[in-house]
Amino acid sequence: MVREPGPSHRWWVLGVIGLAQLMVVLDATIVNIALPSAQQDLGFSDGNRQWIVTAYALAFGSLLLLGGRIADLVGRRVVFLTGLVGFAVASAIGGAAPSFEILVLARALQGLFGALLAPAALSLLTTTFTVPKERAKAFGIYGAIAGAGGAVGLLLGGVLTEYLDWRWCLYVNLIFAFVAFTGGWRLLTAGAPTDRPRLDIPGTVLVSAGLFCIVYGFSNAESHAWGSPLTWGFLAAGGLLLMVFAWWQTRAPHPLLPMRVVLHRDRAASYLAMFISGGGMFGVFLFLTYYLQKSLFYSPVSTGLAFLPMVAVMIVSSVTTTNVLVPRFGAKPVVPLGMGIAAASMVWLTALDLTSSYAAHVLPPTLCLGLGLGMVFATAMNLATAGVGARDAGVASAMVNTSQQVGGSIGTALLNTLATSAATNYLVGRRPTPAVVAQAQLESYDTAYWWSAGFFALGLLVTVILYRRGAPRPHLAEESEPARV
């Protein structure tokens, strides 16, 4: 038998897991603010700049399901600690990178080890907190970390870039990883499933290649036309590969993603909620950051600080939702309401202009956004892994991260393309004076906000249809084997 963490240790385990998750999530945005400085230092072109972000997204998004299954096969503690060490080493290589090529390689390695670390962390949380009340609190905190990590990355990236050097946006991961590794080594118990599921090699190849093509295709849309073979060709290939993967999972003797995991209504709704809200959230972080810096002339640090009230509201909303609202009313009213609040926040942001002030115009809609996202993320993460058997906890957790990451990649690429087109169209027939260019930027931001509102409106419709009525009922895991880490 494997000893489970005692009551006093479980909350320390949550701290370790939360720190690791924060490191992975904030790394998707912390580098964004450092990019101009890195570009000047290493001398790469504007066309190559996107690969610093894309390399991470490609490796992370395409390998998450494999990482989740490896956690089920090898043991979550081993995979968690391995992911931390690998992520730290990759960050050190990136921080010391003497060239563009080495930096891109380091970012890809970060994505690879992040794909091991993220599902292992969430599955550890799933198997550690099984008592409903404790689970609700734990997932409230974890959901807030996952939702707020992007904003924290913007703040931390601004501070490190402005006061130290862009390389510290990568070196800082060594501190996070050391603390999390030390805590994980002391608190997490060793062990692997006695009845290990076998690895579905054809399924692994199909889904990894399919997700790679999808993320790559949408990333290419930022620098190529939608009609380019590098865009639609990869998107079509990715869609085909994922359809073949879904077909194979119904016939594979040891499926990588068992249908029992995704065909549960509440879980399916949760995965879709993470996918849709991930697209809207990452998009708004990007364009609101541009607005604050380019239109209102905020410094990187001031930009990061501007997001902190939203983060605070998101944390309060996440904890309150999972401990008070969902146990009483269920997910069906809560998640759609959160989607609706987020959509309204996006519409509210379209009122921003060149004379807007922070307290009167920027702060109110971002507070509402934090409220809505907290209701969505905490609930979706909890129900996406509720009732999953211990042998499937890794892959079910990986689906949560995959949904959010792929949704964020798709949303960011789509919004960036649409925003760029809006700015270009506005400038047609006008003299590009500073005032006209500034207004064109506002047009691009407004386009992104309207489309983000559309994403969240779609999320409202999908979740109100799919989530079941009533408060979630306590239920046993789908398999009777004991939880192991």
Side-chain angles (χ1 to χ4, degrees):
M1 285 292 291
V2 178
R3 180 176 56 85
E4 295 184 17
S8 61
H9 288 167
R10 281 199 287 271
W11 298 105
W12 286 106
V13 169
L14 173 61
V16 169
I17 294 170
L19 183 61
Q21 176 67 10
L22 177 64
M23 181 179 71
V24 172
V25 174
L26 68 81
D27 225 69
T29 57
I30 191 173
V31 174
N32 288 353
I33 287 181
L35 267 180
S37 299
Q39 184 176 1
Q40 183 178 2
D41 191 10
L42 300 180
F44 51 86
S45 66
D46 288 346
N48 287 331
R49 182 174 56 194
Q50 67 160 330
W51 287 105
I52 306 300
V53 177
T54 302
Y56 180 86
L58 283 173
F60 189 54
S62 59
L63 296 175
L64 271 166
L65 282 177
L66 174 60
R69 198 40 128 188
I70 290 175
D72 293 331
L73 285 164
V74 178
R76 292 166 194 104
R77 179 180 185 266
V78 171
V79 173
F80 180 79
L81 296 177
T82 302
L84 282 171
V85 172
F87 202 94
V89 171
S91 299
I93 294 172
S99 66
F100 168 75
E101 291 77 13
I102 299 297
L103 182 56
V104 170
L105 174 63
R107 289 289 286 165
L109 287 174
Q110 279 186 313
L112 186 155
F113 286 105
L116 289 175
L117 181 58
L122 185 53
S123 58
L124 280 168
L125 191 68
T126 300
T127 53
T128 299
F129 291 90
T130 55
V131 178
K133 287 186 177 180
E134 287 189 351
R135 180 183 173 90
K137 292 178 183 178
F139 272 87
I141 296 169
Y142 188 85
I145 292 171
V152 174
L154 295 173
L155 171 60
L156 189 58
V159 171
L160 294 174
T161 302
E162 190 165 327
Y163 294 111
L164 292 174
D165 184 74
W166 69 267
R167 296 180 184 275
W168 276 96
C169 291
L170 294 160
Y171 286 144
V172 71
N173 290 325
L174 299 177
I175 301 172
F176 287 130
F178 175 77
V179 175
F181 183 90
T182 303
W185 182 268
R186 293 176 60 87
L187 295 171
L188 299 177
T189 52
T194 53
D195 180 22
R196 299 185 181 185
R198 296 181 183 178
L199 184 62
D200 174 18
I201 295 178
T204 299
V205 173
L206 285 168
V207 74
S208 297
L211 290 172
F212 179 93
C213 289
I214 292 290
V215 175
Y216 185 81
F218 276 104
S219 297
N220 260 315
E222 298 184 47
S223 54
H224 298 77
W226 286 99
S228 168
L230 287 175
T231 301
W232 67 260
F234 275 96
L235 292 176
L240 179 62
L241 287 168
L242 292 181
M243 285 191 288
V244 174
F245 168 74
W247 169 82
W248 171 249
Q249 294 308 283
T250 64
R251 289 159 176 77
H254 305 283
L256 176 68
L257 181 61
M259 289 297 102
R260 61 180 174 268
V261 173
V262 295
L263 293 183
H264 186 281
R265 273 186 64 179
D266 283 347
R267 278 190 222 124
S270 297
Y271 295 141
L272 287 171
M274 293 298 296
F275 175 81
I276 294 169
S277 56
M281 179 191 72
F282 282 113
V284 73
F285 281 172
L286 177 66
F287 290 100
L288 195 53
T289 298
Y290 281 146
Y291 168 75
L292 292 173
Q293 291 194 20
K294 301 292 186 182
S295 299
L296 300 187
F297 305 107
Y298 282 28
S299 69
V301 173
S302 297
T303 300
L305 289 172
F307 283 100
L308 282 188
M310 184 191 75
V311 173
V313 171
M314 193 183 300
I315 293 172
V316 173
S317 173
S318 296
V319 175
T320 303
T321 295
T322 53
N323 286 279
V324 179
L325 298 180
V326 173
R328 183 173 180 180
F329 302 107
K332 194 175 187 72
V334 172
V335 176
L337 178 59
M339 291 285 190
I341 293 173
S345 302
M346 293 296 99
V347 175
W348 197 347
L349 286 172
T350 63
L352 297 177
D353 58 31
L354 298 175
T355 62
S356 296
S357 66
Y358 176 74
H361 303 102
V362 177
L363 182 60
T366 55
L367 292 179
C368 287
L369 181 62
L371 174 64
L373 289 177
M375 296 172 75
V376 172
F377 281 123
T379 308
M381 283 190 165
N382 192 343
L383 295 187
T385 55
V388 177
R391 67 180 297 169
D392 292 330
V395 74
S397 302
M399 269 298 294
V400 177
N401 289 283
T402 301
S403 300
Q404 184 181 17
Q405 178 65 30
V406 174
S409 299
I410 290 174
T412 301
L414 273 174
L415 293 174
N416 195 54
T417 303
L418 293 164
T420 302
S421 298
T424 302
N425 292 336
Y426 183 83
L427 290 172
V428 172
R430 292 181 170 91
R431 289 184 60 192
T433 62
V436 169
V437 171
Q439 189 60 40
Q441 287 181 330
L442 285 180
E443 291 291 327
S444 70
Y445 305 151
D446 285 352
T447 300
Y449 299 149
W450 278 113
W451 278 91
S452 290
F455 291 168
F456 286 117
L458 175 62
L460 188 158
L461 180 63
V462 168
T463 54
V464 81
I465 291 173
L466 286 183
Y467 273 120
R468 293 183 293 190
R469 293 182 180 276
R473 296 180 298 275
H475 53 278
L476 297 174
E478 290 168 352
E479 297 177 58
S480 58
E481 63 178 90
R484 298 177 176 86
V485 295

